[in-house]
Amino acid sequence: MTTSAWDEVSTAVAATPYPVAVLAPDSERAAHCLRELGITTTSWLGAVVGHTGGLLVDHGWLRILGSGAEALPDILDRAEPASGALPVAYDVLGGMYVWATNPAGRPTIRYFGPDVLDWEDLELGYAEWLHAVLVGSLDRFYGTLRWPGWQDDVSAVAADQGIHTFPPPWSKEGKDLSTVSRAVVALSELVSLHQDAARQLSGQDS
């Protein structure tokens, strides 16, 4: 008999130190996503996809993808099977998390940071990463990317929107987010903007 991992996930959500909104799933979309991914709710990833439309963590700073709900897309929205990387979350600044197999052959979470324009292997599986997030790792992880009053600013942003900062966070002038200008933009555009900047800067360096 198989057991859903949702009890473990929901217990962690209930104990988290910051607000977490659990978006209600659409059963048909959830079943479709699970089928396309070839996973079940016995895993933490499958539990999130099967039992939620997604999770909005820490006033919505982090948007963890599930089967999609309201303004949040489903986990298949930007999936590119050929790349071998599955996007599983975005942050409000346009950072991106993917679940991919590392050179050692282990599936881990990788993060593309808008402050460094590069990928970092967090060396954590999906369940390890999500558990770390839910027990409070975001305060430390994003310590240099927050500004006074960010909670109210982020809470006012829809799940499909992000906050564009200028100068950008990867520039010397944009490192202090308390001094930059901020504007609400479509999250997909913000993610693409950072990815394009990374490609252009990489090309200039080559």
Side-chain angles (χ1 to χ4, degrees), residues 160-162 184-191:
D160 62 348
Q161 296 177 324
V184 176
V185 299
L187 183 60
S188 59
E189 294 179 7
L190 184 57
V191 172

Side-chain angles (χ1 to χ4, degrees), residues 18 55-65 71-73 78 87-98 109-120 122 129 133 137-147 150 153-155 157-165 169-170 177 183-195:
Y18 25 62
L55 303 175
L56 304 181
V57 183
D58 206 358
H59 305 274
W61 182 282
L62 181 64
R63 297 86 182 272
I64 297 175
L65 302 181
L72 195 68
R78 299 193 68 178
V88 295
Y90 299 94
D91 63 45
V92 72
L93 296 179
M96 180 180 181
Y97 294 83
V98 302
I109 297 294
R110 300 175 64 208
Y111 174 66
F112 181 90
D115 55 334
V116 295
L117 298 184
D118 202 0
W119 289 97
E120 175 188 2
L122 302 185
W129 165 74
V133 165
S137 69
L138 296 188
D139 290 331
R140 181 178 66 258
F141 193 78
Y142 288 108
T144 61
L145 289 174
R146 288 175 166 176
W147 60 94
W150 68 265
D153 293 345
V154 174
S155 295
V157 175
D160 62 348
Q161 296 177 324
I163 296 178
H164 175 266
T165 63
W170 48 264
L177 270 70
V184 176
V185 299
L187 183 60
S188 59
E189 294 179 7
L190 184 57
V191 172
S192 295
L193 180 67
H194 292 316
Q195 300 278 346

